[in-house]
Amino acid sequence: VMPRARLDLTIHLELGCQPGPYDVSLQRNGKVFAAASGIVRLENHEPILRVKIDISHVPAGQYKFYVRRAGEEWRNYRVILK
């Protein structure tokens, strides 16, 4: 569950994710509602993505939150905005 706000997200990625530039996107039914980019850095051997994204204007409901390393395949996660 994510609040509809301007967020400073800290995303703990799966072990094995490589450092570097990443993109994130909030979508529903193929429509992009918000997108941002950030850099993954290893912190205590764990890949951490920090990104600022404004979802204050996005209507409440269920969405898919997509994450990918630049040029690679998207991974998606179900999120609910309140």
Side-chain angles (χ1 to χ4, degrees):
V1 176
M2 295 171 59
R4 296 170 50 236
R6 292 180 185 194
L7 302 174
D8 289 324
L9 296 177
T10 299
I11 303 169
H12 297 254
L13 298 174
E14 298 90 15
L15 292 177
C17 287
Q18 297 298 310
Y22 278 68
D23 301 312
V24 298
S25 178
L26 184 70
Q27 300 182 27
R28 181 166 58 194
N29 299 326
K31 180 180 178 186
V32 176
F33 286 84
S37 297
I39 303 292
V40 167
R41 291 187 171 82
L42 293 179
E43 298 179 16
N44 295 320
H45 307 289
E46 183 179 5
I48 305 292
L49 172 60
R50 298 190 195 299
V51 65
K52 294 181 183 210
I53 190 167
D54 182 3
I55 57 173
S56 60
H57 63 283
V58 180
Q62 291 189 12
Y63 293 84
K64 294 281 186 167
F65 189 78
Y66 289 84
V67 178
R68 75 170 175 187
R69 187 168 190 231
E72 293 185 1
E73 294 292 318
W74 289 101
R75 294 184 177 120
N76 70 78
Y77 307 89
R78 194 185 95 186
V79 297
I80 298 172
L81 300 188
K82 291 198 173 194

